[in-house]
Amino acid sequence: MTTNVFVYNSFSSLVPKSFNFSLPSLPIAQQPQVPVSASSPRRHRRISALVTSMAQSTQNPVVPQNRVIIPNKHGEKLVGLLHDSGSKEIVVLCHGFQSSKDYTAMSNLANALEKEGITAFRFDFAGNGESEGTFAYGNYGREADDLRSVVEHFAGENRVVSVILGHSKGGNVVLLYASKFHDTRNVVNVSGRYDLMRGIEERLGKDFLERIKKEGFIDVKNQAGEVKYRATEEALMDRLNTDMHKACQQIDQDCSVLTIHGSADEIIPVEDALEFAKIIPNHKLHIIEGADHGYSSHQTELASVVLEFIKSRLQLQDKSSTS
């Protein structure tokens, strides 16, 4: 077993972050009024044209050309965005629980990879984001099947998914995928949970098992009392029966796994990452000092670690294919 542990405090390389900026589409009467001097008609025309252009752009958004729709095995359409650099190899990015392809870390990593000439694809699991289907608590195996549909789609286009990366629950999904399908050689687990028995009470409340057996479901509500999603007994059992320890032991020896975790993760403790390091055959562990679960202040460090691993793995693949 190969296990390396690194703690990151700072990085000299800078990785660009993505920014999403949008303006609400306002009726003419509510459009921002800009005071303009009567002695400056040219300035008045420029500002008026700018306001009009901004309003029109929000009413007629440009549809991105890199949008890809892939059917899963259940006939649901999975929606993703392809950051195509022209490379044959593709890195697939998988979001976490109740998240989407537009999560900050997903978009930042995709942009960083594309800048380095590596094609990235980020997509929504069924029932999340723009993809079809109904959101369900649990669903680990089904999301691994969604990932399988993505891999097969690109294989049909004569492209190769060289790396699969997942954040949080997505980290569990990519590890489960590697244990089940054995067709990937590079996996990045970002803040995945090792012990799926933990973290349930925080979402479903105390005595969740007794309550869900009695009612058949638990409605999880927000602070306003609105139902965010319904956790069924079947979905809960799916999570409780997902054994990450057993799955990780089934990952091939020649599959290189990188686990990244923040030392200040407030949702999944860093101890989970240490457990992965004990059982995955070919494993490297990188702990980013001070990072929380979403890497809110450590996006650059996260991207730097990911890029270093992926570039080194792709270089090794190139050497082995030409030797």
Side-chain angles (χ1 to χ4, degrees):
M1 177 184 295
T2 302
T3 301
N4 299 307
V5 181
F6 300 89
V7 178
Y8 280 77
N9 291 296
S10 61
F11 291 83
S12 58
S13 61
L14 296 178
V15 180
K17 297 182 179 180
S18 64
F19 297 92
N20 294 316
F21 179 77
S22 61
L23 290 172
S25 179
L26 299 175
I28 297 298
Q30 298 180 29
Q31 287 181 3
Q33 301 299 310
V34 183
V36 182
S37 169
S39 62
S40 179
R42 181 176 300 176
R43 180 166 175 252
H44 182 281
R45 289 194 297 271
R46 285 203 307 269
I47 295 175
S48 296
L50 176 62
V51 171
T52 301
S53 175
M54 290 162 65
Q56 290 175 344
S57 65
T58 59
Q59 294 168 2
N60 301 292
V62 177
V63 178
Q65 297 300 308
N66 54 352
R67 182 182 173 91
V68 179
I69 298 177
I70 301 170
N72 66 9
K73 63 184 293 185
H74 303 283
E76 299 160 332
K77 295 178 180 178
L78 306 176
V79 180
L81 295 176
L82 184 66
H83 296 245
D84 199 342
S85 68
S87 66
K88 182 178 180 180
E89 296 81 12
I90 296 176
V91 177
V92 175
L93 308 177
C94 303
H95 64 78
F97 180 78
Q98 272 209 305
S99 187
S100 76
K101 64 183 178 305
D102 298 321
Y103 186 64
T104 301
M106 296 294 98
S107 57
N108 283 350
L109 288 172
N111 289 329
L113 288 162
E114 184 180 15
K115 184 176 182 292
E116 291 294 319
I118 303 169
T119 297
F121 180 70
R122 51 188 171 105
F123 75 102
D124 297 323
F125 287 113
N128 294 265
E130 294 183 273
S131 291
E132 293 180 345
T134 303
F135 175 82
Y137 187 82
N139 254 19
Y140 290 85
R142 184 158 171 161
E143 291 189 357
D145 288 339
D146 281 355
L147 178 55
R148 178 65 172 173
S149 296
V150 170
V151 172
E152 290 178 336
H153 168 82
F154 287 113
E157 295 190 344
N158 295 318
R159 304 187 79 163
V160 179
V161 174
S162 300
V163 184
I164 52 176
L165 177 151
H167 171 251
S168 193
K169 184 185 178 185
N172 293 96
V173 172
V174 295
L175 291 171
L176 289 170
Y177 180 95
S179 73
K180 182 178 181 180
F181 295 106
H182 307 283
D183 63 351
T184 183
R185 293 294 172 261
N186 305 293
V187 176
V188 183
N189 160 36
V190 182
S191 304
R193 189 184 291 278
Y194 167 77
D195 186 356
L196 294 180
M197 292 288 292
R198 299 198 298 186
I200 301 176
E201 185 174 301
E202 287 83 348
R203 289 199 171 101
L204 302 187
K206 293 182 179 180
D207 303 322
F208 61 86
L209 197 55
E210 292 81 357
R211 289 164 52 220
I212 207 165
K213 284 187 175 296
K214 179 180 179 181
E215 302 292 337
F217 65 89
I218 293 176
D219 283 336
V220 179
K221 302 178 180 180
N222 59 22
Q223 293 181 346
E226 301 168 334
V227 176
K228 295 169 59 179
Y229 59 89
R230 171 169 290 186
T232 64
E233 182 178 359
E234 180 184 5
L236 175 61
M237 291 302 105
D238 176 85
R239 172 167 176 155
L240 294 177
N241 291 328
T242 301
D243 189 339
M244 292 307 302
H245 184 93
K246 181 179 180 180
C248 288
Q249 291 179 320
Q250 295 172 350
I251 297 175
D252 293 340
Q253 173 69 43
D254 59 353
C255 178
S256 182
V257 178
L258 167 67
T259 291
I260 305 172
H261 216 103
S263 67
D265 194 319
E266 73 288 6
I267 295 177
I268 299 175
V270 69
E271 287 77 17
D272 283 39
L274 302 178
E275 293 300 320
F276 284 126
K278 293 177 184 178
I279 57 174
I280 296 176
N282 184 5
H283 187 270
K284 292 182 180 180
L285 172 62
H286 290 259
I287 299 172
I288 298 182
E289 187 67 27
D292 59 17
H293 189 66
Y295 299 83
S296 54
S297 300
H298 296 78
Q299 290 291 303
T300 298
E301 291 93 331
L302 174 62
S304 297
V305 177
V306 169
L307 283 171
E308 180 183 358
F309 173 78
I310 291 177
K311 290 169 71 174
S312 66
R313 295 301 303 168
L314 293 181
Q315 287 170 1
L316 285 175
Q317 287 180 191
D318 289 341
K319 289 181 180 179
S320 61
S321 63
T322 56
S323 60

